[in-house]
Amino acid sequence: GDSVTQMEGPVTLSEEAFLTINCTYTATGYPSLFWYVQYPGEGLQLLLKATKADDKGSNKGFEATYRKETTSFHLEKGSVQVSDSAVYFCALSDTGRRALTFGSGTRLQVQP
Amino acid sequence: DAGVTQSPTHLIKTRGQQVTLRCSPISGHKSVSWYQQVLGQGPQFIFQYYEKEERGRGNFPDRFSARQFPNYSSELNVNALLLGDSALYLCASSPEGGARNTIYFGEGSWLTVV
């Protein structure tokens, strides 16, 4: 079945540091890939998405590129802020399914 | 425009009781999905409804049931509550039921079973 694997957290960075959160997936067909963010005490917010190979999703300084050859969708940001502290979830939606499959989440803590 | 709204936001139930959670999708969205998020884990898919019909079901016992109303709002029911049902229950909506549509989540209902 479909699965998503994320790097374990927490990831602790200083403000303005470079961020990478790794995500790899297993799926049949050609899934769409997503990054969601969850701030403390809140629901999930869509951060960015990519629907086909080599697409780059971007939003609020975050980027991720759909790499079919490595089945990866790593999240990057050039300069993190304290306000980026949250839990980040990688997810996929396969062609034949009507649901998202999520990774276990990666907690990011940014220190001033 | 209002986002996905859920009620109640927090509730505490006793083992063996039943609970009903409610969800109103974004205006114009016809598909509603339910997810369970246990503390420290990613959300797990429970149900999807589109145009009042169940279109998908995750690996959850029959104690979990749901329905969608003509106005596209939805209810999730859980019977015979167990301690392990304690979780954040997330409702999500999308314009259609297709797998590639962007899904928008509500803030969730926190259920504690004691």
Coordinates of all heavy atoms in Angstrom, one line a residue, chain A residues 12-88:
Chain A
T12 N 15.8 21.2 15.3 CA 16.0 22.4 16.1 C 17.0 23.3 15.3 O 18.2 22.8 15.0 CB 16.5 22.2 17.5 OG1 15.6 21.4 18.2 CG2 16.7 23.5 18.2
L13 N 16.6 24.5 14.9 CA 17.5 25.4 14.1 C 17.5 26.7 14.7 O 16.6 27.1 15.4 CB 17.0 25.5 12.7 CG 17.0 24.2 11.8 CD1 16.3 24.5 10.5 CD2 18.4 23.7 11.6
S14 N 18.5 27.5 14.5 CA 18.6 28.9 14.8 C 17.9 29.7 13.7 O 17.9 29.3 12.5 CB 20.0 29.3 15.0 OG 20.6 28.6 16.1
E15 N 17.4 30.8 14.1 CA 16.7 31.7 13.1 C 17.7 32.0 12.0 O 18.9 32.2 12.2 CB 16.3 33.0 13.8 CG 15.1 33.7 13.2 CD 14.5 34.7 14.1 OE1 15.2 35.2 15.0 OE2 13.3 35.1 13.9
E16 N 17.2 32.0 10.8 CA 17.9 32.3 9.5 C 18.7 31.1 9.0 O 19.4 31.2 8.0 CB 18.8 33.5 9.6 CG 18.0 34.8 10.0 CD 18.9 36.1 10.0 OE1 20.1 35.9 9.8 OE2 18.4 37.1 10.2
A17 N 18.6 30.0 9.7 CA 19.3 28.8 9.2 C 18.5 28.2 8.0 O 17.4 28.5 7.8 CB 19.4 27.8 10.3
F18 N 19.2 27.3 7.3 CA 18.6 26.6 6.1 C 17.9 25.4 6.6 O 18.4 24.6 7.5 CB 19.7 26.2 5.1 CG 19.2 25.6 3.9 CD1 18.7 26.4 2.8 CD2 19.1 24.2 3.8 CE1 18.2 25.8 1.7 CE2 18.6 23.6 2.6 CZ 18.1 24.4 1.6
L19 N 16.7 25.1 6.1 CA 15.9 24.0 6.5 C 15.8 23.0 5.4 O 15.5 23.3 4.2 CB 14.5 24.5 6.9 CG 13.5 23.4 7.1 CD1 13.8 22.6 8.4 CD2 12.1 24.0 7.2
T20 N 15.9 21.7 5.7 CA 15.5 20.6 4.9 C 14.8 19.6 5.7 O 15.4 19.1 6.8 CB 16.8 19.9 4.2 OG1 17.4 20.8 3.4 CG2 16.3 18.8 3.3
I21 N 13.7 19.2 5.3 CA 12.9 18.0 5.9 C 12.7 17.0 4.8 O 12.1 17.3 3.8 CB 11.6 18.5 6.5 CG1 11.8 19.5 7.6 CG2 10.9 17.2 7.1 CD1 10.5 20.0 8.2
N22 N 13.3 15.8 5.1 CA 13.2 14.8 4.0 C 11.9 14.0 4.0 O 11.3 13.8 5.1 CB 14.4 13.8 4.2 CG 15.7 14.4 3.9 OD1 15.8 15.3 3.2 ND2 16.8 13.8 4.5
C23 N 11.4 13.7 2.8 CA 10.2 12.9 2.7 C 10.4 12.0 1.5 O 10.8 12.5 0.4 CB 9.0 13.9 2.4 SG 7.5 13.0 1.9
T24 N 10.1 10.7 1.7 CA 10.1 9.8 0.6 C 8.8 9.0 0.6 O 8.1 9.0 1.6 CB 11.3 8.8 0.7 OG1 11.2 8.1 1.9 CG2 12.6 9.4 0.5
Y25 N 8.4 8.5 -0.5 CA 7.1 7.9 -0.6 C 7.1 6.6 -1.4 O 8.0 6.3 -2.2 CB 6.1 8.8 -1.2 CG 6.3 9.1 -2.7 CD1 5.8 8.3 -3.7 CD2 7.1 10.2 -3.1 CE1 6.0 8.6 -5.0 CE2 7.4 10.4 -4.4 CZ 6.8 9.6 -5.4 OH 7.1 9.8 -6.7
T26 N 6.1 5.8 -1.1 CA 5.8 4.6 -1.9 C 4.4 4.6 -2.4 O 3.5 4.8 -1.5 CB 6.1 3.3 -1.1 OG1 7.4 3.3 -0.6 CG2 5.8 2.0 -1.9
A27 N 4.2 4.5 -3.7 CA 2.8 4.5 -4.2 C 2.7 3.9 -5.5 O 3.7 3.9 -6.3 CB 2.3 6.0 -4.3
T28 N 1.6 3.4 -5.8 CA 1.3 2.9 -7.2 C 0.8 4.1 -8.0 O 0.2 5.0 -7.5 CB 0.3 1.8 -7.2 OG1 -0.9 2.2 -6.6 CG2 0.8 0.6 -6.4
G29 N 1.0 4.0 -9.3 CA 0.5 5.1 -10.1 C 1.3 6.4 -10.0 O 2.5 6.3 -9.7
Y30 N 0.6 7.5 -10.2 CA 1.3 8.8 -10.2 C 0.7 9.7 -9.1 O -0.3 10.4 -9.5 CB 1.3 9.4 -11.6 CG 1.9 8.5 -12.6 CD1 1.1 7.6 -13.3 CD2 3.3 8.5 -12.8 CE1 1.7 6.7 -14.2 CE2 3.8 7.6 -13.7 CZ 3.0 6.8 -14.5 OH 3.6 5.9 -15.4
P31 N 1.1 9.7 -7.9 CA 0.5 10.4 -6.9 C 0.7 11.9 -7.0 O 1.7 12.4 -7.6 CB 1.1 9.9 -5.6 CG 2.5 9.5 -6.0 CD 2.3 8.9 -7.4
S32 N -0.2 12.7 -6.4 CA 0.1 14.1 -6.0 C 0.7 14.1 -4.7 O 0.4 13.3 -3.8 CB -1.2 14.9 -6.0 OG -1.8 14.9 -7.3
L33 N 1.6 15.1 -4.5 CA 2.3 15.2 -3.2 C 2.1 16.6 -2.5 O 1.9 17.6 -3.2 CB 3.8 15.0 -3.5 CG 4.2 13.7 -4.1 CD1 5.7 13.7 -4.5 CD2 3.9 12.5 -3.2
F34 N 2.0 16.5 -1.2 CA 1.6 17.7 -0.5 C 2.5 17.8 0.8 O 3.0 16.9 1.3 CB 0.2 17.6 0.1 CG -0.8 17.3 -1.0 CD1 -1.1 16.0 -1.5 CD2 -1.6 18.4 -1.5 CE1 -2.0 15.8 -2.4 CE2 -2.5 18.1 -2.5 CZ -2.7 16.8 -3.0
W35 N 2.7 19.1 1.2 CA 3.2 19.4 2.5 C 2.1 20.2 3.3 O 1.6 21.2 2.7 CB 4.5 20.2 2.5 CG 5.7 19.4 2.3 CD1 6.4 19.1 1.1 CD2 6.4 18.6 3.3 NE1 7.5 18.3 1.3 CE2 7.5 18.0 2.6 CE3 6.2 18.4 4.7 CZ2 8.4 17.1 3.3 CZ3 7.1 17.6 5.3 CH2 8.2 17.0 4.7
Y36 N 1.8 19.7 4.5 CA 0.9 20.4 5.3 C 1.6 20.8 6.6 O 2.6 20.2 7.0 CB -0.3 19.5 5.8 CG -1.4 19.3 4.7 CD1 -1.3 18.4 3.7 CD2 -2.5 20.2 4.8 CE1 -2.3 18.3 2.8 CE2 -3.5 20.0 3.9 CZ -3.4 19.1 2.8 OH -4.4 19.0 1.9
V37 N 1.2 21.9 7.2 CA 1.8 22.4 8.4 C 0.7 22.5 9.5 O -0.4 22.9 9.2 CB 2.5 23.8 8.2 CG1 1.5 24.8 7.7 CG2 3.2 24.3 9.5
Q38 N 1.1 22.2 10.7 CA 0.2 22.2 11.9 C 0.8 23.0 13.0 O 1.8 22.6 13.6 CB -0.1 20.8 12.3 CG -1.2 20.7 13.4 CD -1.7 19.3 13.7 OE1 -0.8 18.4 13.7 NE2 -2.9 19.1 13.9
Y39 N 0.3 24.2 13.2 CA 0.8 25.0 14.3 C 0.1 24.5 15.6 O -0.9 23.9 15.6 CB 0.4 26.5 14.1 CG 1.1 27.0 12.8 CD1 0.5 27.1 11.6 CD2 2.5 27.4 12.9 CE1 1.1 27.6 10.5 CE2 3.1 27.8 11.7 CZ 2.4 27.9 10.6 OH 3.1 28.4 9.4
P40 N 0.8 24.8 16.8 CA 0.3 24.3 18.0 C -1.2 24.6 18.3 O -1.6 25.7 18.1 CB 1.2 25.0 19.0 CG 2.4 25.3 18.3 CD 2.0 25.6 16.9
G41 N -1.9 23.5 18.6 CA -3.3 23.7 18.9 C -4.3 23.9 17.7 O -5.4 24.2 17.9
E42 N -3.7 23.8 16.5 CA -4.5 24.1 15.3 C -4.7 22.9 14.4 O -4.0 21.9 14.6 CB -3.9 25.3 14.5 CG -3.9 26.6 15.3 CD -3.3 27.7 14.5 OE1 -3.2 27.6 13.3 OE2 -3.0 28.8 15.1
G43 N -5.5 23.0 13.4 CA -5.6 22.0 12.4 C -4.5 22.1 11.3 O -3.6 22.8 11.5
L44 N -4.7 21.3 10.3 CA -3.7 21.3 9.2 C -3.9 22.4 8.2 O -5.1 22.6 7.8 CB -3.8 19.9 8.5 CG -3.4 18.7 9.4 CD1 -3.7 17.4 8.6 CD2 -1.9 18.7 9.6
Q45 N -2.9 23.0 7.7 CA -2.9 24.0 6.7 C -2.1 23.5 5.5 O -0.9 23.1 5.7 CB -2.4 25.3 7.1 CG -3.2 25.9 8.3 CD -2.6 27.2 8.7 OE1 -1.9 27.9 8.0 NE2 -2.8 27.6 10.0
L46 N -2.6 23.6 4.3 CA -1.8 23.2 3.1 C -0.7 24.2 3.0 O -1.0 25.4 2.9 CB -2.7 23.2 1.9 CG -2.0 22.9 0.6 CD1 -1.4 21.5 0.6 CD2 -2.9 23.1 -0.6
L47 N 0.5 23.7 2.8 CA 1.7 24.6 2.6 C 2.0 24.7 1.1 O 2.2 25.8 0.6 CB 2.9 24.1 3.4 CG 4.1 24.9 3.4 CD1 3.9 26.3 3.9 CD2 5.2 24.2 4.2
L48 N 2.1 23.6 0.5 CA 2.4 23.5 -0.9 C 2.1 22.1 -1.5 O 1.9 21.2 -0.7 CB 3.8 23.9 -1.2 CG 5.0 23.1 -0.5 CD1 5.3 21.9 -1.2 CD2 6.2 24.0 -0.4
K49 N 2.0 22.1 -2.8 CA 1.7 20.8 -3.5 C 2.4 20.7 -4.8 O 2.7 21.7 -5.4 CB 0.2 20.6 -3.6 CG -0.5 21.5 -4.6 CD -1.9 21.1 -4.7 CE -2.6 21.9 -5.8 NZ -4.1 21.5 -6.0
A50 N 2.5 19.5 -5.3 CA 3.0 19.2 -6.7 C 2.2 18.0 -7.2 O 2.0 17.0 -6.5 CB 4.5 19.0 -6.7
T51 N 1.8 18.1 -8.5 CA 0.9 17.1 -9.0 C 1.6 16.2 -10.0 O 1.0 15.1 -10.4 CB -0.3 17.7 -9.6 OG1 0.1 18.6 -10.6 CG2 -1.2 18.4 -8.6
K52 N 2.8 16.5 -10.5 CA 3.4 15.6 -11.4 C 5.0 15.7 -11.3 O 5.5 16.7 -10.7 CB 3.0 15.9 -12.9 CG 3.3 17.2 -13.4 CD 2.8 17.4 -14.8 CE 3.2 18.7 -15.4 NZ 2.6 19.9 -14.7
A53 N 5.7 14.8 -11.8 CA 7.1 14.7 -11.7 C 7.8 16.0 -12.2 O 7.3 16.6 -13.2 CB 7.6 13.5 -12.5
D54 N 8.8 16.4 -11.4 CA 9.6 17.6 -11.7 C 8.9 18.9 -11.4 O 9.5 20.0 -11.5 CB 10.1 17.7 -13.1 CG 11.0 16.5 -13.5 OD1 11.7 16.0 -12.6 OD2 10.9 16.0 -14.6
D55 N 7.6 18.9 -11.0 CA 6.9 20.1 -10.5 C 7.6 20.6 -9.2 O 8.0 19.8 -8.4 CB 5.4 19.8 -10.2 CG 4.5 20.0 -11.4 OD1 5.1 20.4 -12.5 OD2 3.3 19.8 -11.3
K56 N 7.6 21.9 -9.1 CA 8.1 22.5 -7.8 C 6.9 23.2 -7.2 O 6.3 24.1 -7.8 CB 9.2 23.4 -8.1 CG 9.7 24.1 -6.8 CD 10.8 25.1 -7.1 CE 12.1 24.5 -7.3 NZ 13.3 25.5 -7.4
G57 N 6.6 22.8 -6.0 CA 5.6 23.6 -5.2 C 6.3 24.6 -4.3 O 7.4 24.3 -3.8
S58 N 5.7 25.8 -4.2 CA 6.3 26.8 -3.3 C 5.3 27.7 -2.7 O 4.2 27.9 -3.2 CB 7.3 27.7 -4.2 OG 6.6 28.3 -5.2
N59 N 5.6 28.2 -1.5 CA 4.7 29.0 -0.7 C 5.5 29.5 0.5 O 6.1 28.8 1.2 CB 3.5 28.2 -0.3 CG 2.4 29.1 0.4 OD1 2.4 30.3 0.1 ND2 1.6 28.5 1.2
K60 N 5.3 30.8 0.8 CA 5.9 31.4 2.0 C 7.4 31.1 2.2 O 7.9 31.0 3.3 CB 5.2 30.9 3.2 CG 3.7 31.3 3.2 CD 3.0 30.7 4.5 CE 1.5 31.1 4.5 NZ 0.9 30.5 5.7
G61 N 8.1 31.0 1.1 CA 9.5 30.8 1.1 C 9.9 29.3 1.2 O 11.1 29.0 1.1
F62 N 8.9 28.4 1.4 CA 9.2 27.0 1.3 C 9.1 26.5 -0.1 O 8.3 27.0 -0.9 CB 8.1 26.3 2.2 CG 8.2 26.5 3.7 CD1 7.6 27.6 4.3 CD2 9.0 25.7 4.5 CE1 7.7 27.8 5.6 CE2 9.1 25.9 5.8 CZ 8.5 27.0 6.4
E63 N 9.9 25.5 -0.4 CA 9.9 24.8 -1.7 C 10.0 23.3 -1.6 O 10.6 22.8 -0.6 CB 11.0 25.3 -2.6 CG 10.9 26.8 -3.0 CD 12.1 27.1 -3.9 OE1 13.1 26.4 -3.9 OE2 12.0 28.2 -4.6
A64 N 9.4 22.6 -2.5 CA 9.7 21.1 -2.6 C 9.5 20.7 -4.0 O 8.6 21.2 -4.7 CB 8.7 20.4 -1.7
T65 N 10.4 19.8 -4.5 CA 10.3 19.4 -5.9 C 10.0 17.9 -5.9 O 10.6 17.1 -5.2 CB 11.7 19.6 -6.6 OG1 12.0 21.0 -6.5 CG2 11.6 19.2 -8.0
Y66 N 9.0 17.6 -6.8 CA 8.6 16.2 -7.0 C 9.6 15.4 -7.8 O 9.8 15.7 -9.0 CB 7.2 16.3 -7.7 CG 6.4 15.0 -7.9 CD1 5.1 15.1 -7.8 CD2 7.0 13.8 -8.2 CE1 4.3 14.0 -8.0 CE2 6.2 12.7 -8.4 CZ 4.9 12.8 -8.3 OH 4.1 11.7 -8.5
R67 N 10.3 14.5 -7.1 CA 11.4 13.7 -7.8 C 10.9 12.3 -7.9 O 10.9 11.5 -7.0 CB 12.6 13.8 -7.0 CG 13.2 15.2 -6.7 CD 13.8 15.7 -8.0 NE 14.5 17.0 -7.7 CZ 14.8 17.9 -8.6 NH1 14.5 17.7 -9.9 NH2 15.5 19.0 -8.3
K68 N 10.4 11.9 -9.1 CA 9.9 10.6 -9.3 C 11.0 9.6 -9.3 O 10.8 8.4 -8.8 CB 9.2 10.5 -10.7 CG 8.4 9.3 -10.9 CD 7.6 9.4 -12.2 CE 6.6 8.2 -12.3 NZ 7.4 6.9 -12.5
E69 N 12.2 9.9 -9.8 CA 13.3 8.9 -9.9 C 13.8 8.5 -8.5 O 14.2 7.4 -8.3 CB 14.5 9.5 -10.7 CG 15.2 10.7 -10.1 CD 14.4 12.0 -10.5 OE1 13.3 12.0 -11.0 OE2 15.1 13.1 -10.2
T70 N 13.7 9.4 -7.5 CA 14.1 9.1 -6.1 C 12.9 9.0 -5.2 O 13.1 8.8 -4.0 CB 15.0 10.2 -5.6 OG1 14.4 11.4 -5.7 CG2 16.4 10.2 -6.3
T71 N 11.7 9.0 -5.7 CA 10.4 9.0 -5.0 C 10.5 9.9 -3.7 O 10.3 9.5 -2.6 CB 10.0 7.6 -4.6 OG1 11.0 7.0 -3.8 CG2 9.8 6.8 -5.8
S72 N 10.9 11.2 -4.0 CA 11.1 12.1 -2.8 C 10.4 13.4 -3.1 O 10.1 13.8 -4.2 CB 12.6 12.3 -2.6 OG 13.2 13.0 -3.7
F73 N 10.2 14.1 -2.0 CA 9.5 15.4 -2.0 C 10.0 16.2 -0.8 O 9.3 16.5 0.1 CB 8.0 15.2 -2.0 CG 7.2 16.5 -2.3 CD1 7.4 17.2 -3.5 CD2 6.2 16.9 -1.5 CE1 6.7 18.3 -3.8 CE2 5.4 18.0 -1.8 CZ 5.7 18.7 -3.0
H74 N 11.3 16.5 -0.8 CA 11.9 17.1 0.4 C 11.5 18.6 0.5 O 11.5 19.3 -0.5 CB 13.4 17.0 0.3 CG 13.9 15.6 0.1 ND1 13.4 14.6 0.8 CD2 15.0 15.1 -0.6 CE1 14.0 13.5 0.5 NE2 15.0 13.8 -0.4
L75 N 11.2 19.0 1.7 CA 10.8 20.4 2.0 C 12.1 21.2 2.3 O 12.9 20.8 3.2 CB 9.8 20.5 3.1 CG 9.3 21.9 3.5 CD1 8.4 22.4 2.4 CD2 8.5 21.8 4.8
E76 N 12.2 22.4 1.7 CA 13.4 23.3 2.0 C 12.9 24.7 2.2 O 11.9 25.2 1.6 CB 14.3 23.3 0.8 CG 15.0 21.9 0.6 CD 16.0 21.9 -0.6 OE1 15.9 22.8 -1.4 OE2 16.9 21.0 -0.6
K77 N 13.7 25.4 3.0 CA 13.5 26.9 3.2 C 14.9 27.5 3.4 O 15.6 27.0 4.3 CB 12.5 27.2 4.3 CG 12.2 28.7 4.3 CD 11.2 29.1 5.4 CE 10.8 30.6 5.3 NZ 9.9 31.0 6.3
G78 N 15.1 28.6 2.8 CA 16.5 29.2 2.9 C 16.8 29.8 4.2 O 18.0 29.8 4.6
S79 N 15.8 30.4 4.8 CA 16.0 31.1 6.1 C 14.8 31.0 6.9 O 13.8 31.7 6.7 CB 16.3 32.6 5.7 OG 16.5 33.4 6.9
V80 N 14.9 30.2 8.0 CA 13.7 30.0 8.8 C 13.6 31.1 9.8 O 14.5 31.7 10.2 CB 13.8 28.6 9.5 CG1 13.7 27.5 8.5 CG2 15.0 28.5 10.4
Q81 N 12.3 31.3 10.3 CA 12.0 32.2 11.3 C 11.4 31.5 12.5 O 10.9 30.4 12.4 CB 11.0 33.3 10.8 CG 11.4 33.9 9.5 CD 12.7 34.7 9.7 OE1 12.9 35.5 10.7 NE2 13.7 34.5 8.8
V82 N 11.3 32.2 13.6 CA 10.7 31.6 14.8 C 9.3 31.2 14.6 O 8.8 30.1 15.0 CB 10.8 32.5 16.0 CG1 10.0 32.0 17.2 CG2 12.3 32.8 16.4
S83 N 8.6 32.0 13.8 CA 7.2 31.7 13.4 C 7.0 30.5 12.6 O 5.8 30.0 12.4 CB 6.6 32.9 12.7 OG 7.3 33.2 11.5
D84 N 8.0 29.9 12.1 CA 7.9 28.7 11.3 C 7.9 27.4 12.2 O 7.7 26.3 11.7 CB 9.1 28.5 10.3 CG 9.1 29.5 9.2 OD1 8.0 29.9 8.8 OD2 10.2 30.0 8.8
S85 N 8.1 27.6 13.5 CA 8.0 26.5 14.4 C 6.6 25.8 14.4 O 5.6 26.5 14.6 CB 8.3 27.0 15.9 OG 9.6 27.5 15.9
A86 N 6.6 24.6 14.1 CA 5.4 23.8 13.8 C 5.7 22.4 13.5 O 6.9 22.0 13.5 CB 4.6 24.4 12.7
V87 N 4.7 21.6 13.3 CA 4.9 20.2 12.8 C 4.5 20.2 11.3 O 3.5 20.7 10.9 CB 4.0 19.2 13.6 CG1 4.2 17.8 13.1 CG2 4.3 19.3 15.1
Y88 N 5.4 19.6 10.6 CA 5.2 19.5 9.1 C 5.0 18.1 8.7 O 5.7 17.2 9.1 CB 6.5 20.1 8.4 CG 6.7 21.5 8.7 CD1 7.2 22.0 9.8 CD2 6.3 22.5 7.7 CE1 7.4 23.4 10.1 CE2 6.4 23.8 7.9 CZ 6.9 24.3 9.1 OH 7.1 25.6 9.3

